[in-house]
Structure formats: structure tokens, C-alpha cells
Amino acid sequence: MHVGVSIGPYLDRIETIPDAFEYVEIGLGEGEQPIGEINVNSVSERLHKRNLDVTVHLPYYQPLATAVDTIDSATLSYIDSVLETASALGATTAVAHPTRRGIAPSSEQFHEQLRSLVEIGHTHDVTVCFETTGYAGDLALDRVGATIDDVDGAICLDIGYAYLEAGVSGIRTLLTQYGDIVEHLHVHDGRHRGDTHIPVGSGDVAMADIGSLLQEFVPEATATIEVFTDDAAHLTDSRQRFIELIEDVDSQ
């Protein structure tokens, strides 16, 4: 399993990423790293020097789908530009929050907007993975699989959010039914009191139980350590703890 680390919009952290990681996940676009300020050649060279691949997180402040066609068209046009930049950096995976405003999750308008985003990704040779962020108020975990399968998309399983929303059983159900389209993981711990994106092993998430499910259903998925800190020791320790969970399953 390839394991990377999230650096958000902070490109200055590329040079400080521990050698244990294989790629970085960069936040691009509105509220993150503005695409107009990115020197693609420079960033690509810096990544190459560190032997790092790249994945991107698409902007999430603007909902992907609304009740206004003009807004939705503009959103797709903007994300097209973001994905073009992502592709130029060498990314083949992009994470998106399946957000909406003013429309039902079952509406054809919502599904069509997600489907269009998937197709735009294909034009740039980028797989768009929709994240399981129901705990944060987006599409509920029990809807994610059917919705993303309907639009021919892929899923990013956010382990911390999914556990806090629906426990191990909810994650097992998703992987059992839709594990074939789960291609990317976000790995962080969390606490029922509301803390998220904390180091692996420091919260309430049943990582050992989840680790066995990941190895059974999605052993080829890529995994981003999404711990919100620039402390290299915390990031490396989180990676090691996660890897040990997978290796423990392999040795059983």
C-alpha cells in the first residue's frame, strides 16, 4: 500500500517531508493553494528532488452542486482548471467532497454534477475520489456507495470520519458492498467528543478492526496520513502505526 501525507496548501513543507512517505497530498484551489500562484515546473522539480509523487485535494468551500445551473456550470469550469493544474503536476488522483446546497442527495441534478466532475477528471487522466465526509455534514456514509457507483466515480474512505459517523460496522458495510470503487484512503484518528485529524493511536478509532477490513477489501488503495500537524515525528509515527496494522493482518 502506497502511503503519503497531506500538506494542505503549504508547499514550503515539501522539503521537510520525512523520507518514509511516497507522495504528498496538496490542497489546490479556493481556500487552499491558488492555482494562479503555482509554478508547475518549479513544484514538479521540487517533488522530483524528494522522490515524491503527488495527489491533490480539490477545493471544498464551494458546493459541487446547487439549485442554480449557472453556479454549477461555473463550478465545473473552475474545477476543470484545478484538475488541469493537478495533471500538470503529475497527479492521477484528486479527492473531492460530495457537497451540495439546496438540493436533495437523491436528485438527478446532484448526480449529474458529480458525473460531470468524474468525466472532467478523465479528460485530464485524473481519477476523482469522493470522500466519505458525512460526519462533517456531507453525504451520509450509507448513501455514499450507491451514489458514487451511480456516477461511475471512485471513493476516498476517510477512516476517522467514517468511524465517528457509523463505527466499524458502517465501514464494513461500505467495503463489503462497494470496496471495488474505494481507491483512496484518508487516515487519521478522532475522538467522539469531536476531535479529528489527530495522530493515529491517540483517539477512539478502532484502527485494529479497520486495518483487517482494509487488508481484506482494499489492499491496493493509496493512503494519505491526514494528520493536521507539521511535526515530522507525529506524521512518521502515524504512518508506522498504520502500516503495522496492515502488516499484523498479513502475519496472521
Side-chain angles (χ1 to χ4, degrees):
M1 183 176 287
H2 294 288
V3 181
V5 62
S6 172
I7 61 173
Y10 307 110
L11 300 183
D12 58 329
R13 291 176 55 191
I14 290 174
E15 282 71 28
T16 67
I17 294 301
D19 293 337
F21 291 102
E22 298 169 275
Y23 68 88
V24 292
E25 186 167 314
I26 298 172
L28 291 185
E30 178 191 9
E32 298 293 334
Q33 181 67 41
I35 57 176
E37 298 179 12
I38 292 181
N39 184 320
V40 170
N41 291 334
S42 174
V43 174
S44 297
E45 182 178 353
R46 291 164 61 195
L47 291 168
H48 179 71
K49 286 181 178 179
R50 292 299 322 282
N51 196 30
L52 289 168
D53 292 326
V54 63
T55 291
V56 302
H57 198 303
L58 300 179
Y60 50 84
Y61 288 106
Q62 172 62 48
L64 293 182
T66 71
V68 182
D69 290 341
T70 303
I71 293 176
D72 286 0
S73 295
T75 297
L76 290 176
S77 178
Y78 177 65
I79 293 180
D80 186 9
S81 299
V82 177
L83 287 170
E84 182 179 17
T85 300
S87 181
L89 288 171
T92 57
T93 298
V95 178
H97 287 192
T99 52
R100 69 193 187 287
R101 183 177 64 213
I103 55 175
S106 59
S107 68
E108 181 56 31
Q109 185 171 352
F110 180 50
H111 285 222
E112 186 56 38
Q113 190 76 349
L114 299 184
R115 189 174 294 111
S116 295
L117 180 53
V118 170
E119 293 172 355
I120 290 172
H122 289 162
T123 66
H124 297 291
D125 296 321
V126 176
T127 298
V128 176
C129 295
F130 296 98
E131 189 173 358
T132 58
T133 49
Y135 179 78
D138 294 333
L139 192 65
L141 189 66
D142 60 5
R143 286 182 176 270
V144 168
T147 299
I148 305 310
D149 189 47
D150 180 63
V151 303
D152 295 322
I155 293 173
C156 167
L157 171 60
D158 186 297
I159 292 173
Y161 278 152
Y163 178 81
L164 293 175
E165 179 185 359
V168 173
S169 63
I171 294 174
R172 181 184 294 107
T173 297
L174 175 69
L175 292 176
T176 299
Q177 296 178 347
Y178 299 101
D180 59 319
I181 60 172
V182 174
E183 298 190 17
H184 191 58
L185 308 172
H186 276 176
V187 182
H188 61 91
D189 218 322
R191 300 190 182 100
H192 291 293
R193 70 185 186 189
D195 301 327
T196 60
H197 300 95
I198 58 178
V200 174
S202 64
D204 301 328
V205 178
M207 289 292 181
D209 294 334
I210 295 170
S212 63
L213 292 173
L214 299 179
Q215 186 59 30
E216 179 180 358
F217 291 102
V218 291
E220 300 302 319
T222 50
T224 295
I225 300 299
E226 197 182 38
V227 175
F228 290 170
T229 179
D230 59 0
D231 187 309
H234 283 316
L235 297 174
T236 302
D237 183 65
S238 288
R239 178 195 178 279
Q240 184 60 30
R241 288 173 182 266
F242 175 68
I243 290 297
E244 287 175 355
L245 294 173
I246 304 300
E247 290 179 345
D248 284 347
V249 172
D250 285 339
S251 64
Q252 291 176 2

